[in-house]
Amino acid sequence: MCILAEEVNSMLTLEKVTAAYSGSKVLFGVDIEAKKGEITCLIGRNGVGKTTTIRSIMGLVDTPSGDIQLDGKSIFKLPVYARAKAGIGYVPQGRDIFPQLTVKENILLGMEANKSVKEIPDYIFEIFPILKDFLQRRGGDLSGGQQQQLAIARAIVSKPKVLILDEPTEGIQPSIIQDIGKAIMKLKEDMAILMVEQYLEFILDISDKCYVMEKGRISMSGKTEELDKERLQQLLSM
Ligand SMILES: Nc1ncnc2c1ncn2[C@@H]1O[C@H](COP(=O)(O)OP(=O)(O)O)[C@@H](O)[C@H]1O
Ligand SMILES: [Mg+2]
């Protein structure tokens, strides 16, 4: 598949990022690198700061210090819409599909981030054929798994350089998890993928690199195949 017009080596870099809610710190200097051709996973227990990390990248939370770069250019001071425009696609935790809008309308909203995209590109339906049949259905009438596919479609329709997914398998049945895994594997050839995930089997199956977060800090990172699986299991169990 070729989603981006030109051959680019997209890379997202976080350097010593801190984040806070109403002045109380949640992230304490997070370093992460995600590049095209790889699926990078951010993993860790509930409440350690994974979603806050993602929200920091999107500009949705106060980040007192650090830097975030897209292809070497800082996006750290840019407002939310400008980060999306710079080429970051975002699939939020819980999906945030608009239930009253049709599938087509939900996808069209994603095109706002890239005005050069005038109609829904064919690759969307190559990756998620089901969406073509359901274009006129209301988002709220789709199953959880179909909504997740729609949320990913909405995020990639703008041809982003980086795709960020926050717990894409949460509350989704196993057969659709496999479909989503296959879709993400295809997409990594065209964009950097940064995925927050807690489902270990899925992580081991599809990720190339992992960062483990504990209490707002990265405690372990490396190639997925080289990580201590038992320790990962321990870290993820409650
Ligand atoms: N909007 C918010 N206001 C205040 N504290 C928050 C908010 N969102 C998250 N937190 C706190 O920040 C910490 C990290 O949360 P979060 O990033 O959602 O964790 P994770 O995604 O790893 O489960 C938690 O202690 C959580 O209670
Ligand atoms: Mg979260």
Side-chain angles (χ1 to χ4, degrees):
M1 208 170 344
C2 191
I3 293 175
L4 293 171
E6 75 256 58
E7 196 54 38
V8 287
N9 282 317
S10 312
M11 176 143 88
L12 177 73
T13 314
L14 279 71
E15 283 176 8
K16 299 191 175 66
V17 173
T18 63
Y21 293 107
S22 328
S24 93
K25 257 194 184 178
V26 171
L27 299 183
F28 302 87
V30 172
D31 293 297
I32 290 176
E33 201 177 87
K35 59 182 180 202
K36 185 173 123 176
E38 292 182 345
I39 296 174
T40 303
C41 261
L42 176 60
I43 67 189
R45 286 185 192 145
N46 277 330
V48 296
K50 304 181 300 297
T51 295
T52 303
T53 304
I54 299 306
R55 291 172 60 84
S56 302
I57 298 167
M58 299 315 298
L60 294 165
V61 52
D62 185 27
T63 47
S65 63
D67 196 19
I68 300 175
Q69 294 160 12
L70 185 58
D71 296 339
K73 257 196 189 153
S74 181
I75 57 163
F76 198 58
K77 302 284 180 214
L78 296 181
V80 179
Y81 73 91
R83 298 192 196 198
K85 241 178 145 170
I88 305 181
Y90 174 41
V91 182
Q93 187 166 15
R95 308 183 270 278
D96 287 355
I97 287 302
F98 291 93
Q100 304 296 335
L101 300 186
T102 63
V103 165
K104 184 172 181 182
E105 288 163 342
N106 270 283
I107 297 175
L108 292 178
L109 282 176
M111 286 160 53
E112 291 294 311
N114 184 350
K115 295 289 186 200
S116 75
V117 181
K118 305 284 187 218
E119 54 185 63
I120 302 175
D122 287 339
Y123 68 79
I124 294 290
F125 304 118
E126 281 168 36
I127 300 173
F128 301 120
I130 189 100
L131 295 180
K132 190 157 199 172
D133 303 331
F134 286 0
L135 275 176
Q136 302 310 326
R137 285 204 200 181
R138 290 190 331 158
D141 292 339
L142 269 51
S143 73
Q146 290 160 353
Q147 286 186 4
Q148 188 61 265
Q149 292 174 318
L150 173 56
I152 298 172
R154 185 180 59 188
I156 62 172
V157 73
S158 59
K159 308 188 176 183
K161 295 175 182 162
V162 180
L163 174 64
I164 296 178
L165 306 113
D166 196 348
E167 304 215 24
T169 71
E170 197 179 28
I172 286 172
Q173 63 191 70
S175 64
I176 310 240
I177 291 179
Q178 280 206 345
D179 288 348
I180 288 173
K182 279 183 206 151
I184 297 170
M185 292 284 275
K186 276 188 207 160
L187 290 170
K188 81 170 184 179
E189 304 306 330
D190 290 281
M191 58 192 72
I193 312 260
L194 176 61
M195 179 170 80
V196 168
E197 201 31 85
Q198 301 209 58
Y199 179 20
L200 187 57
E201 216 176 301
F202 186 67
I203 295 165
L204 297 179
D205 236 21
I206 77 165
S207 74
D208 299 284
K209 210 166 71 182
C210 284
Y211 290 86
V212 177
M213 181 167 265
E214 291 179 86
K215 294 182 188 159
R217 291 184 168 87
I218 300 298
S219 61
M220 182 164 95
S221 65
K223 285 186 180 170
T224 306
E225 58 194 26
E226 291 168 8
L227 290 175
D228 181 343
K229 307 294 176 309
E230 263 170 48
R231 204 167 149 220
L232 282 184
Q233 187 98 55
Q234 271 173 2
L235 279 163
L236 285 174
S237 57
M238 292 294 142

